[in-house]
């Protein structure tokens, strides 16, 4: 299987990520609490939010809802 790697500016040390239920967006979180949304069709960052909550990221089935866990 061939694949292409694309590097996008989504914040320092982005590590938690999940793909939306539709498969159209990738959501990623950084330890400092920046949540970024990437459009997977265009490989562009379509939005970000400074939540102040870092950690593992989960996207729920309802549109544009995500949660993080932290210690």
């Amino acid at each position: 299987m061939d694949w292409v790697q694309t590097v996008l500016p989504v914040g320092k040390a982005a590590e938690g990520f999940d793909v939306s239920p539709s498969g159209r967006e990738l959501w990623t979180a950084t330890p400092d609490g920046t949540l970024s949304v990437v459009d997977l069709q265009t490989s562009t960052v379509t939005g970000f939010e400074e939540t102040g909550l870092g950690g593992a990221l989960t996207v729920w089935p309802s549109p544009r809802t995500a949660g993080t866990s932290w210690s």
Side-chain angles (χ1 to χ4, degrees):
M1 176 182 233
D2 292 333
W3 59 278
V4 175
Q5 177 178 331
T6 303
V7 178
L8 300 170
V10 295
K12 186 176 180 179
E15 58 185 1
F17 69 91
D18 203 350
V19 175
S20 67
S22 68
R24 295 180 181 153
E25 296 175 328
L26 179 131
W27 294 42
T28 185
T30 63
D32 68 357
T34 301
L35 174 68
S36 299
V37 180
V38 175
D39 181 312
L40 292 174
Q41 296 297 315
T42 63
S43 296
T44 58
V45 178
T46 59
F48 70 95
E49 183 71 34
E50 298 289 338
T51 67
L53 303 172
L57 178 71
T58 301
V59 177
W60 283 288
S62 60
R64 302 188 71 78
T65 303
T68 62
S69 63
W70 65 96
S71 54

